[in-house]
């Protein structure tokens, strides 16, 4: 017969016999403890209560309390505690441990304050409980109270107090506790040593952390993990990887925490393949390692790899959390993979994490970056709680999609909700003014950053204003803003100015901006190409040749312009004059028919935008087969009768001819087109664009 059955029958017999004694209860209580049977323990307590049994000491009741505490039975423990005719320090400490484990901080503090007397266990329990629930400041207050009450801190006290300093990044208090470690001769305790290494690393003193690590004789895996994580946190990924290799040479077996940090080190160093190799060697991959890989891929521009790995994670039966989902959704947003994003959204709903703040904010951003602000707004409105990140995603999304007034209205609502806007909010608001050409409103919002919100405008904010002023024809004011701003102009400022000059055909200021960019970012092809194009529009072919020669001498590589379109969950990429697609002939035939229809309606390709010294026929062929036009033709071939918009993405800015082309197609074919370029969204509907041609 099983022990649990014997126990139940013994207690049944107890009930059949009526009143009992301490001698009868004791073995049954101890057996309940041995087999971890809370149900039978509660029956025993009920029998004691029914027969008004009063034990001679606290031992029996403390054993029952201990069992309830072990299984987190808060109400049962408190109920028994309140009924106990006498309590000792063990009784109080046991209930304290129940509250500490359950995270009931308010009850934990209240009970601690009610105690008639305390010991070091009482203090350790409360300090550890507070730290574990994120109340690190309160934990340090209790630690000071412990010292004032004359209790000598144990290694458990010191570890908890040091963890509190780590979480608060409070190096000063951490050093004070370090002094207590030496005063108490606990410096050789490995748990204390590990806590010290972790504290110094998390507080930014990585050199002291290394010094302590090197002097720790009895290192364990946690010692290595603490310093490896410290190097990663302090932006020294190479040392993180080097220490990982030292750890293996020293004969220590890495655990999941080690691997997660080392993967982060490889990704911070841009060593994606090495990270993949380490990941492939993990026999039992947990949620943390999968998530670390997915996040690493996203951070290194490997969004498609992140999506593929997420699919494998699900196939392996590993349940993703909110952080995993938010990273995957961000990948869909960057790639504008709407179908994939919708599938991931569905998975999040199935797993019950769609209302997670991180996930919801990522979904808002994803739908906005796929041009579906209506769906983004639905997600935003359904969020149980919103923070400034979610508000920013929605405001920025409206601005990028040409709904500038909606963006500004939402910003005003944010202020009404008494939320504090951050730097990203201001960028989104100024971008909305920029896209709508609202120069006076833009000036007002820019001034409010410092005057109303007491924030120093950043270079991002100045770049937005330079863009707005320059595009509005206030180039002198834009130049004055650059001269008088409190920051040293960086590449963002000069590239913004160069872009405005290209639009306004201001060669004088363009040359000045380009010269600064050649110094700041000598290997960035963008400024060279932009200046070269401006020379080409003027027919200054010698200057064009001079810029190209400069690029060649500096070994500056041009990046490929391409567009992509998602059809039936499959992504198709195109470059200009592409001949690699399996359906190239059909695509070019369809595009030729489309061009002919537009020409009949009066459209002529703007060959002036072909910035090469070639004959007119070559210019015509070049501009007609830009990547976005090929993507559009393919989309119309595959979905000729659809009612949903054709959705196209481009990695650089759309040219003026293609912009005009898309407008006419939306009117003549009667099909809406959404084009996302590197700058913003263009919603083409019935011959008009959401950018109001202010692009």
């Amino acid at each position: 017969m099983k022990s649990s059955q014997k126990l139940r029958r013994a207690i049944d017999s107890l009930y059949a016999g009526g009143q009992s004694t301490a001698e009868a209860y004791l073995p049954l209580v101890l057996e309940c403890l041995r087999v971890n049977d809370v149900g039978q323990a509660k029956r025993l307590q009920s029998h004691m209560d029914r027969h008004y049994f009063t034990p001679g000491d606290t031992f029996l009741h403390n054993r029952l309390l201990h069992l309830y505490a072990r299984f987190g039975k808060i109400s049962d423990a408190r109920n028994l505690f309140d009924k106990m005719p006498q309590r000792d320090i063990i009784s109080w400490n046991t209930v304290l441990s129940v509250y500490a484990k359950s995270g009931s901080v308010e009850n934990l503090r209240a009970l601690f304050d009610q105690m008639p007397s305390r010991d070091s266990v009482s203090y350790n329990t409360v300090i550890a409980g507070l730290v574990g629930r994120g109340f690190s400041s309160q934990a340090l207050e209790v630690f000071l109270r412990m010292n004032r009450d004359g209790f000598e801190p144990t290694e458990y006290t010191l570890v908890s107090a040091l963890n509190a300093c780590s979480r608060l990044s409070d190096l000063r208090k951490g050093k004070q506790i370090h002094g207590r470690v030496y005063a108490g001769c606990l410096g050789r305790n490995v748990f204390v040593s590990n806590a010290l290494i972790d504290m110094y690393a998390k507080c930014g003193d990585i050199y002291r952390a290394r010094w302590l690590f090197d002097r720790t004789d009895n290192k364990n895996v946690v010692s290595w993990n603490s310093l490896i994580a410290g190097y990663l946190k302090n932006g020294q990924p190479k040392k993180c990887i080097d220490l990982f290799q030292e750890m293996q040479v020293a004969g220590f077996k890495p655990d999941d925490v080690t691997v997660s940090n080392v993967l982060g080190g490889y990704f911070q160093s841009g060593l994606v393949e090495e990270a993949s190799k380490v990941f492939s060697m993990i026999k039992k991959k947990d949620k943390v390692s999968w998530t670390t890989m997915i996040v690493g891929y996203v951070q290194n521009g490997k969004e498609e790899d992140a999506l593929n790995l997420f699919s494998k994670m699900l196939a392996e039966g590993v349940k993703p959390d909110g952080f995993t989902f938010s990273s995957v959704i961000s990948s869909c947003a960057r790639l504008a993979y709407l179908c994939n994003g919708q599938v991931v959204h569905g998975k999040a709903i199935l797993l019950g994490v769609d209302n997670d703040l991180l996930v919801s904010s990522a979904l808002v951003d994803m739908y906005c970056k796929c041009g579906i602000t209506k769906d983004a707004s639905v997600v935003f409105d359904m969020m149980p709680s919103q923070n400034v990140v979610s508000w920013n995603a929605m405001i920025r999304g409206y601005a990028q999609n040409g709904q500038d007034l909606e963006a500004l209205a939402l910003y005003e609502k944010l202020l009404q909700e008494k939320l504090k806007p951050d730097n990203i909010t201001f960028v989104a608001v100024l971008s909305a003014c920029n896209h709508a050409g609202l120069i006076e409103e833009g000036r007002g919002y820019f001034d409010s950053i410092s005057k109303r919100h007491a924030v120093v405008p950043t270079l991002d904010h100045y770049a937005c204003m330079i863009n707005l002023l320059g595009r509005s024809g206030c180039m002198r004011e834009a130049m004055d803003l650059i001269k008088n701003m409190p920051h040293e102009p960086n590449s963002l400022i000069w590239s913004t100015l160069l872009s405005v000059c290209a639009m306004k055909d201001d060669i004088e200021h363009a040359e000045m901006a380009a010269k600064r960019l050649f110094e700041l970012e000598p290997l960035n092809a963008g400024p060279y190409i932009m200046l070269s194009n401006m020379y080409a529009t003027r027919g200054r072919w010698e200057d064009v040749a001079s810029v190209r020669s400069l690029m060649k001498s500096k070994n500056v590589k041009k990046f490929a312009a391409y567009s992509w379109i998602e059809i039936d969950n499959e992504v198709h990429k195109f470059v200009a004059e592409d001949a690699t697609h399996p359906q190239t002939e059909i695509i070019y035939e369809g595009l030729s028919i489309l061009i002919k229809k537009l020409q009949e309606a009066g459209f002529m390709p703007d060959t002036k935008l072909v910035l090469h010294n070639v004959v007119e026929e070559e210019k015509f062929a070049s501009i007609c087969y830009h990547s976005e036009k090929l993507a559009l033709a393919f989309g119309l071939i595959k979905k000729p009768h659809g009612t949903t918009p054709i959705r196209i993405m481009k990695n650089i800015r759309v040219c003026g001819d293609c912009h005009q082309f898309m407008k006419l197609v939306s009117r003549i074919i009667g099909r809406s087109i959404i084009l996302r370029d590197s700058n913003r969204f263009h919603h083409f509907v019935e011959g008009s664009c959401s950018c109001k041609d202010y692009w």
Side-chain angles (χ1 to χ4, degrees):
M1 188 184 296
K2 290 182 178 179
S3 299
S4 57
Q5 291 176 327
K6 286 182 180 179
L7 176 62
R8 179 171 52 80
R9 289 188 179 182
I11 295 174
D12 287 344
S13 300
L14 191 71
Y15 269 85
Q19 196 169 6
S20 191
T21 64
E23 288 75 15
Y25 284 127
L26 180 58
L28 294 174
V29 169
L30 293 176
E31 184 63 12
C32 287
L33 271 165
R34 191 184 71 81
V35 298
N36 292 321
D37 196 328
V38 176
Q40 296 306 319
K42 288 169 72 173
R43 288 185 68 203
L44 272 176
Q45 183 191 334
S46 179
H47 189 273
M48 293 176 192
D49 294 342
R50 182 182 298 180
H51 295 284
Y52 303 103
F53 171 75
T54 303
D57 57 28
T58 60
F59 184 79
L60 272 177
H61 281 159
N62 281 347
R63 294 300 89 199
L64 288 171
L65 276 178
H66 182 74
L67 183 60
Y68 294 152
R70 185 186 294 172
F71 287 91
K73 301 293 183 181
I74 301 175
S75 58
D76 294 323
R78 187 66 203 230
N79 176 270
L80 173 58
F81 180 78
D82 290 339
K83 290 177 181 177
M84 288 173 67
Q86 47 186 321
R87 306 164 184 149
D88 59 14
I89 192 70
I90 295 173
S91 316
W92 289 89
N93 286 344
T94 304
V95 180
L96 276 179
S97 71
V98 177
Y99 286 139
K101 288 176 184 175
S102 67
S104 183
V105 172
E106 194 173 322
N107 289 325
L108 177 68
R109 287 303 303 266
L111 188 70
F112 180 72
D113 291 337
Q114 292 167 17
M115 292 178 73
S117 63
R118 304 173 188 86
D119 62 7
S120 60
V121 175
S122 316
Y123 280 101
N124 288 342
T125 303
V126 173
I127 293 168
L130 291 171
V131 173
R133 293 292 164 172
F135 292 86
S136 298
S137 294
Q138 289 189 34
L140 291 176
E141 288 171 9
V142 176
F143 176 72
L144 290 173
R145 181 175 169 182
M146 179 182 186
N147 290 323
R148 286 196 302 267
D149 288 351
F151 289 97
E152 194 66 30
T154 66
E155 63 266 32
Y156 304 108
T157 325
L158 293 167
V159 167
S160 295
L162 287 166
N163 287 341
C165 295
S166 297
R167 296 189 179 199
L168 295 169
S169 296
D170 194 331
L171 184 59
R172 185 180 62 84
K173 286 181 181 171
K175 285 181 175 180
Q176 290 173 354
I177 295 169
H178 191 176
R180 293 299 301 270
V181 170
Y182 279 105
C185 299
L186 292 168
R188 292 191 175 276
N189 182 290
V190 69
F191 300 107
V192 176
S193 295
N194 291 344
L196 281 167
I197 293 166
D198 183 65
M199 184 275 295
Y200 279 110
K202 286 180 178 173
C203 291
D205 194 346
I206 191 66
Y207 302 104
R208 173 66 65 173
R210 180 69 200 229
W211 185 87
L212 283 165
F213 176 82
D214 290 337
R215 282 153 185 78
T216 302
D217 297 326
N218 51 344
K219 296 182 187 73
N220 59 17
V221 172
V222 176
S223 316
W224 292 89
N225 286 349
S226 298
L227 191 58
I228 287 171
Y231 279 132
L232 186 65
K233 178 179 172 60
N234 285 276
Q236 298 183 35
K238 187 178 184 305
K239 288 190 176 181
C240 165
I241 296 165
D242 291 343
L243 191 63
F244 171 60
Q245 292 166 350
E246 283 181 42
M247 176 184 184
Q248 292 173 298
V249 170
F252 286 89
K253 186 178 179 182
D255 62 9
D256 293 339
V257 176
T258 323
V259 172
S260 177
N261 283 313
V262 171
L263 287 174
Y266 279 121
F267 280 124
Q268 271 193 21
S269 304
L271 302 171
V272 177
E273 288 187 16
E274 286 78 357
S276 301
K277 288 175 185 175
V278 171
F279 180 72
S280 66
M281 291 188 292
I282 305 172
K283 291 181 180 178
K284 291 185 179 179
K285 300 176 177 69
D286 64 357
K287 179 170 63 181
V288 174
S289 56
W290 284 97
T291 301
T292 303
M293 281 299 296
I294 289 168
V295 172
Y297 278 141
V298 175
Q299 289 173 344
N300 283 269
K302 303 281 185 181
E303 288 85 3
E304 290 188 358
D305 290 334
L307 293 176
N308 291 333
L309 195 64
F310 180 68
S311 298
K312 291 179 183 177
M313 179 182 182
L314 294 175
E316 292 286 333
V318 181
K319 185 180 177 181
D321 60 13
F323 189 60
T324 321
F325 269 108
S326 66
S327 299
V328 174
I329 294 165
S330 295
S331 294
C332 297
R334 290 187 188 186
L335 297 169
Y337 285 4
L338 178 61
C339 293
N340 281 325
Q342 289 170 329
V343 169
V344 176
H345 188 178
K347 290 284 185 187
I349 293 170
L350 285 173
L351 293 175
V353 296
D354 56 309
N355 284 330
D356 178 281
L357 191 57
L358 270 176
V359 176
S360 297
S361 299
L363 284 168
V364 170
D365 184 57
M366 185 271 293
Y367 282 117
C368 285
K369 285 181 177 171
C370 291
I372 315 293
T373 54
K374 186 177 179 181
D375 289 353
S377 180
V378 170
V379 174
F380 180 78
D381 291 338
M382 291 178 66
M383 291 176 70
S385 62
Q386 297 152 334
N387 62 6
V388 71
V389 175
S390 38
W391 283 85
N392 287 348
M394 197 69 241
I395 294 169
R396 184 175 60 239
Y398 277 139
Q400 288 175 333
N401 282 276
Q403 296 172 262
D404 309 302
L405 297 180
E406 288 89 342
L408 298 178
L410 192 61
Y411 172 67
E412 294 298 335
K413 188 177 178 183
L414 176 147
L415 297 179
Q416 291 168 12
E417 295 284 338
K418 306 298 181 185
L419 284 168
K420 186 178 180 181
D422 62 12
N423 288 333
I424 296 171
T425 321
F426 297 130
V427 170
V429 170
L430 292 172
S431 296
C433 295
N434 188 14
H435 293 150
L438 301 172
I439 187 165
E440 290 305 323
E441 289 85 348
R443 285 190 181 110
Y445 285 124
F446 182 78
D447 290 341
S448 75
I449 296 174
S450 55
K451 293 177 181 176
R452 179 176 178 180
H453 302 287
V455 174
V456 177
T458 67
L459 285 163
D460 289 328
H461 305 141
Y462 278 98
C464 290
M465 276 308 294
I466 291 161
N467 203 357
L468 175 58
L469 292 168
R471 288 169 180 271
S472 302
C474 304
M475 184 60 78
R476 180 177 294 176
E477 190 178 344
M479 292 305 300
D480 287 342
L481 192 63
I482 294 173
K483 290 174 185 174
N484 298 322
M485 66 184 189
H487 310 282
E488 183 69 25
N490 64 355
S491 57
L492 173 64
I493 298 296
W494 295 120
S495 59
T496 301
L497 180 63
L498 180 58
S499 177
V500 170
C501 291
M503 179 192 176
K504 293 295 184 180
D505 199 27
D506 184 342
I507 193 69
E508 179 187 348
H509 289 114
E511 287 176 330
M512 180 189 71
K515 183 180 178 183
R516 297 297 180 91
L517 287 166
F518 295 163
E519 295 169 357
L520 291 169
E521 296 183 338
L523 298 180
N524 181 2
Y528 297 92
I529 294 168
M530 200 171 290
L531 184 62
S532 173
N533 289 347
M534 290 184 74
Y535 285 144
T537 57
R538 285 174 156 72
R540 292 169 56 175
W541 300 111
E542 288 185 8
D543 290 324
V544 170
S546 176
V547 173
R548 289 178 180 172
S549 175
L550 183 62
M551 287 180 71
K552 189 175 181 180
S553 68
K554 293 186 177 182
N555 198 27
V556 178
K557 304 294 183 185
K558 287 178 65 176
F559 51 85
Y562 59 89
S563 300
W564 67 98
I565 185 169
E566 190 179 4
I567 302 288
D568 297 329
N569 294 332
E570 188 176 351
V571 176
H572 301 263
K573 290 185 179 180
F574 299 90
V575 297
E577 301 181 58
D578 202 327
T580 61
H581 196 279
Q583 294 178 271
T584 294
E585 284 189 30
I586 298 171
I587 293 167
Y588 275 82
E589 184 180 338
L591 183 54
S592 296
I593 293 169
L594 195 58
I595 291 169
K596 191 173 180 180
K597 280 186 181 180
L598 265 61
Q599 285 178 318
E600 289 170 357
F603 168 73
M604 278 301 294
D606 190 355
T607 55
K608 293 195 299 295
L609 296 174
V610 179
L611 305 173
H612 300 284
N613 194 10
V614 294
V615 297
E616 195 65 22
E617 290 79 5
E618 289 182 54
K619 288 184 178 182
F620 183 87
S622 173
I623 202 159
C624 282
Y625 303 121
H626 279 187
S627 61
E628 54 266 60
K629 289 181 179 133
L630 294 172
L632 174 62
F634 182 69
L636 290 171
I637 290 165
K638 286 295 183 181
K639 302 288 181 182
H641 307 298
T643 56
T644 57
I646 299 288
R647 210 176 304 277
I648 301 165
M649 272 40 80
K650 186 166 185 177
N651 70 327
I652 65 168
R653 201 162 181 174
V654 62
C655 77
D657 183 76
C658 288
H659 188 269
Q660 184 66 18
F661 186 86
M662 299 287 172
K663 282 172 62 177
L664 287 171
V665 169
S666 71
R667 177 168 63 82
I668 292 168
I669 304 298
R671 189 75 173 273
S672 298
I673 302 164
I674 299 175
L675 171 64
R676 187 182 99 180
D677 66 11
S678 61
N679 189 47
R680 60 171 298 153
F681 276 90
H682 301 270
H683 293 254
F684 300 98
V685 181
E686 297 179 354
S688 297
C689 179
S690 60
C691 76
K692 308 174 187 67
D693 292 348
Y694 193 83
W695 57 281

